[in-house]
Amino acid sequence: MPTNAATNNGPWDAKLQQFHGGQDWAHLDNFVEDFSVTTNAFGMPEAAKLTAIHSIDHSHHYPPADQEPAKSSLARFLWPAEYLDERNRLILGNGASELIDLVIRMAPSGVWKPGPFLTQYKEYERSARNNNFTMLPEGSPDKANVVCLVNPCNPTGDYLELPELKQWITENVLPGGYAIIDESMQPWHSPEFRHHSLVGEREYVEALYKEQGISVFVMHSWTKLWCCTGLRLGSVVCPTTEHMRAIKKAQVPWSVNTVALAFLDAVVRDTEYLDNTWTMTPVWRKLTIDRIAEMFPSWVFYGREFLSWIWVDTGSEEVAERAVELAKKAGVPVRSGRPGYNLPTFVRLAVREPSKVDVLLAAWKAV
């Protein structure tokens, strides 16, 4: 297959690494906006960014080994009333990717299964393969020792409400198994996101572990919501304190650096930023879809209204490849569905403010 905008893996070693997007911007002389990543359209929160910058002054010291006070600050964000009781189930990581790998390494060996959607974030599959699991495809009727479901699902936009999610866990996890539920995009839901999240379902999680030995882990990457992918910030809510301690024992010391911890400690208090996110993301998302649909009536759009991206089936490999190529040439790269997901008729684009969308749609006039 020839190397082009849709298939080039850039800095990724295709034989050793799982492809991820977000690399094209650095190689563009005319870069305008990165539509290829699902980060927040409002960019990095300014106050937290300044706090992170100032923390450089303390970077000649080791970061705190207990991840405090950032861990407690995140706990307060997740459980405003009960954070003192809950924080010992929480641990931070160098992005969610580190924690994904740690949890899968300590999981019961055997069979691994993804969520029920067409595709999902591939880091779980990569880690499972590296740890010699037998791999089941999505939609398999068989139960597994370890299941990994991304909800909301990146990139497809599929979403299970809590009752559906609990039913899926019951129907797909073997007794004594692990259920890793990635809720990285859940906080985009609304100010009421906690009521739609497994984070607040402690009684359910405890009962499942006590009665069936099933361990539920809730994974978050915080770098999308707060637009700080370069800082590497993730967390996992464990079913018990003992599970958290097992991860901590295996985790490399000082995994999360001083700058990332300072940023996290500050950003969780920026309520204005989140209010803007919850208000404008659905508005800009709908506006973008309406404008693209007017240009390309046959394209099909997927995903819930609150999500920070749009998953688009162009219906044609050639059209999708051309759309990716033109966007990149205009300095507004989008994500191809070919590398990583093997869905060559699809493209994914982030929700962005209308003036940036203008540049993308001007480029797509030539599609």
Side-chain angles (χ1 to χ4, degrees):
M1 184 180 296
T3 299
N4 54 44
T7 60
N8 184 8
N9 285 345
W12 297 101
D13 187 329
K15 294 181 179 180
L16 301 176
Q17 296 175 301
Q18 171 61 48
F19 175 81
H20 294 267
Q23 303 291 311
D24 287 338
W25 71 273
H27 308 287
L28 300 178
D29 294 333
N30 61 337
F31 176 70
V32 177
E33 179 63 85
D34 193 354
F35 282 82
S36 74
V37 292
T38 57
T39 50
N40 198 313
F42 284 98
M44 185 180 285
E46 191 63 27
K49 180 171 73 173
L50 292 175
T51 299
I53 292 170
H54 292 155
S55 75
I56 293 291
D57 291 339
H58 305 290
S59 291
H60 57 295
H61 299 294
Y62 283 104
D66 61 359
Q67 305 177 332
E68 294 291 0
K71 189 174 89 164
S72 289
S73 296
L74 179 60
R76 189 192 291 267
F77 174 78
L78 291 172
W79 304 282
E82 304 91 5
Y83 79 98
L84 289 175
D85 296 326
E86 300 284 10
R87 63 183 175 181
N88 287 333
R89 295 195 294 131
L90 178 70
I91 189 168
L92 309 181
N94 189 262
S97 295
E98 181 201 20
L99 296 169
I100 290 167
D101 202 59
L102 284 170
V103 173
I104 290 180
R105 287 187 189 197
M106 59 185 262
S109 60
V111 179
W112 176 89
K113 184 177 181 178
F117 312 127
L118 180 63
T119 191
Q120 66 178 28
Y121 179 60
K122 290 293 186 177
E123 197 63 25
Y124 295 94
E125 180 179 336
R126 179 205 64 80
S127 183
R129 288 188 185 279
N130 283 352
N131 286 280
N132 300 312
F133 279 82
T134 299
M135 313 296 286
L136 292 178
E138 67 278 352
S140 169
D142 297 329
K143 290 189 174 185
N145 304 96
V146 178
V147 302
C148 300
L149 186 154
V150 181
N151 190 54
C153 183
N154 190 357
T156 68
D158 290 290
Y159 182 62
L160 299 180
E161 295 286 358
L162 274 176
E164 301 171 294
L165 179 56
K166 291 178 181 179
Q167 181 179 351
W168 188 86
I169 292 172
T170 298
E171 293 175 349
N172 289 278
V173 188
L174 289 166
Y178 275 25
I180 308 173
I181 309 301
D182 189 321
E183 292 193 352
S184 296
M185 315 312 287
Q186 180 71 34
W188 256 284
H189 184 284
S190 69
E192 304 300 315
F193 76 90
R194 298 170 186 87
H195 300 299
H196 299 264
S197 167
L198 276 176
V199 166
E201 296 291 318
R202 181 170 185 172
E203 291 185 5
Y204 162 77
V205 170
E206 287 181 342
L208 200 59
Y209 183 62
K210 181 178 180 180
E211 296 167 9
Q212 300 184 47
I214 294 175
S215 302
V216 177
F217 296 83
V218 184
M219 194 74 61
H220 288 98
S221 168
W222 296 110
T223 61
K224 306 300 192 301
L225 181 66
W226 288 310
C227 201
C228 60
T229 52
L231 288 183
R232 314 308 307 136
L233 270 173
S235 69
V236 61
V237 179
C238 302
T240 68
T241 300
E242 288 71 29
H243 286 82
M244 184 281 291
R245 290 174 62 84
I247 295 174
K248 190 172 185 177
K249 183 178 180 180
Q251 187 178 41
V252 174
W254 309 297
S255 171
V256 187
N257 65 57
T258 295
V259 176
L261 289 172
F263 177 88
L264 179 61
D265 186 47
V267 78
V268 293
R269 290 184 283 275
D270 194 337
T271 56
E272 181 180 357
Y273 181 88
L274 286 180
D275 286 342
N276 289 336
T277 298
W278 291 322
T279 299
M280 295 309 302
T281 301
V283 174
W284 287 345
R285 189 178 191 278
K286 183 179 185 304
L287 178 62
T288 302
I289 291 175
D290 289 345
R291 294 179 66 187
I292 297 174
E294 186 176 356
M295 293 176 64
F296 307 104
S298 65
W299 290 15
V300 183
F301 305 89
Y302 297 91
R304 294 287 293 269
E305 70 284 350
F306 61 83
L307 295 177
S308 64
W309 75 92
I310 307 165
W311 182 235
V312 186
D313 187 358
T314 68
S316 163
E317 293 186 29
E318 291 76 17
V319 168
E321 186 172 312
R322 180 71 170 149
V324 172
E325 177 187 3
L326 290 170
K328 186 175 181 179
K329 285 183 177 179
V332 283
V334 299
R335 173 72 186 269
S336 167
R338 184 190 295 275
Y341 299 121
N342 196 29
L343 294 169
T345 68
F346 284 82
V347 296
R348 189 191 69 192
L349 59 145
V351 172
R352 294 292 183 254
E353 60 156 313
S355 66
K356 303 296 175 59
V357 177
D358 289 344
V359 180
L360 176 62
L361 296 192
W364 276 358
K365 288 180 180 179
V367 170

Coordinates of all heavy atoms in Angstrom, one line a residue, residues 291 295-296 326-327 330 332 355-367:
R291 N -23.4 21.6 8.9 CA -22.6 22.2 7.8 C -22.0 21.1 6.9 O -22.0 21.3 5.7 CB -21.5 23.2 8.3 CG -22.1 24.4 9.1 CD -21.0 25.3 9.6 NE -20.2 25.9 8.5 CZ -19.1 26.6 8.7 NH1 -18.6 26.8 9.9 NH2 -18.5 27.1 7.6
M295 N -22.9 19.8 2.8 CA -21.9 19.7 1.7 C -22.0 18.2 1.2 O -21.8 18.0 0.0 CB -20.5 20.0 2.2 CG -20.3 21.5 2.6 SD -18.7 21.8 3.2 CE -17.6 21.3 1.9
F296 N -22.1 17.3 2.1 CA -22.0 15.8 1.8 C -23.2 15.1 2.4 O -23.1 14.5 3.4 CB -20.7 15.3 2.3 CG -19.5 16.0 2.0 CD1 -18.8 16.9 2.9 CD2 -19.0 15.9 0.7 CE1 -17.7 17.6 2.5 CE2 -17.8 16.6 0.3 CZ -17.2 17.4 1.2
L326 N -6.7 16.4 2.2 CA -7.0 17.9 2.0 C -6.9 18.6 3.3 O -6.5 19.7 3.4 CB -8.3 18.1 1.3 CG -8.4 17.6 -0.1 CD1 -9.8 17.6 -0.6 CD2 -7.6 18.6 -1.0
A327 N -7.4 18.0 4.4 CA -7.4 18.6 5.7 C -6.0 18.8 6.2 O -5.6 19.9 6.7 CB -8.2 17.7 6.7
A330 N -4.3 21.7 4.5 CA -4.8 23.0 4.9 C -4.4 23.3 6.3 O -4.8 24.4 6.8 CB -6.4 23.0 4.8
V332 N -5.2 21.6 9.0 CA -6.3 21.2 10.0 C -6.5 19.6 9.9 O -7.5 19.1 9.5 CB -7.6 21.9 9.7 CG1 -7.6 23.3 10.2 CG2 -7.9 21.8 8.2
S355 N -14.8 29.2 13.6 CA -13.9 29.8 12.7 C -12.8 28.8 12.3 O -12.3 28.9 11.2 CB -13.2 31.0 13.4 OG -12.4 30.5 14.5
K356 N -12.5 27.8 13.1 CA -11.6 26.8 12.7 C -12.2 25.8 11.8 O -11.6 25.2 10.9 CB -11.0 26.0 14.0 CG -10.4 27.0 15.0 CD -9.1 27.6 14.4 CE -8.5 28.6 15.4 NZ -8.1 28.1 16.7
V357 N -13.5 25.5 12.0 CA -14.3 24.6 11.1 C -14.3 25.3 9.7 O -14.3 24.5 8.7 CB -15.7 24.4 11.7 CG1 -16.5 23.5 10.7 CG2 -15.6 23.7 13.0
D358 N -14.4 26.6 9.6 CA -14.4 27.3 8.3 C -13.2 26.8 7.5 O -13.3 26.6 6.3 CB -14.3 28.8 8.5 CG -15.6 29.4 9.1 OD1 -16.6 28.7 9.0 OD2 -15.6 30.5 9.6
V359 N -12.0 26.7 8.1 CA -10.8 26.3 7.4 C -10.9 24.9 6.9 O -10.6 24.6 5.7 CB -9.6 26.5 8.3 CG1 -8.3 26.1 7.5 CG2 -9.5 27.9 8.8
L360 N -11.5 24.0 7.7 CA -11.6 22.6 7.3 C -12.6 22.5 6.2 O -12.3 21.8 5.2 CB -12.1 21.8 8.5 CG -12.4 20.3 8.2 CD1 -11.1 19.6 7.8 CD2 -13.0 19.6 9.5
L361 N -13.7 23.1 6.3 CA -14.7 23.0 5.2 C -14.3 23.6 3.9 O -14.7 23.2 2.8 CB -16.1 23.6 5.7 CG -16.7 22.8 6.9 CD1 -18.1 23.3 7.2 CD2 -16.6 21.3 6.8
A362 N -13.5 24.7 4.0 CA -13.0 25.3 2.8 C -12.1 24.3 2.1 O -12.1 24.2 0.8 CB -12.2 26.6 3.1
A363 N -11.3 23.6 2.9 CA -10.4 22.6 2.3 C -11.2 21.4 1.7 O -10.9 20.9 0.6 CB -9.5 22.0 3.3
W364 N -12.3 21.1 2.3 CA -13.1 19.9 1.9 C -14.0 20.2 0.7 O -14.6 19.3 0.1 CB -14.0 19.4 3.0 CG -13.2 18.5 3.9 CD1 -11.9 18.0 3.7 CD2 -13.7 17.8 5.1 NE1 -11.6 17.2 4.7 CE2 -12.6 17.0 5.6 CE3 -14.9 17.8 5.8 CZ2 -12.8 16.2 6.7 CZ3 -15.0 17.0 6.9 CH2 -14.0 16.3 7.4
K365 N -14.1 21.5 0.2 CA -14.8 21.8 -1.0 C -14.2 21.0 -2.2 O -14.9 20.8 -3.2 CB -14.8 23.3 -1.3 CG -15.6 24.1 -0.3 CD -15.5 25.6 -0.6 CE -16.4 26.4 0.3 NZ -16.3 27.9 0.0
A366 N -12.9 20.7 -2.1 CA -12.3 20.0 -3.2 C -12.5 18.5 -3.1 O -12.0 17.7 -4.0 CB -10.8 20.3 -3.2
V367 N -13.1 18.0 -2.1 CA -13.4 16.5 -2.0 C -14.2 16.1 -3.1 O -14.0 15.0 -3.7 CB -14.0 16.2 -0.6 CG1 -14.5 14.7 -0.6 CG2 -13.0 16.4 0.5

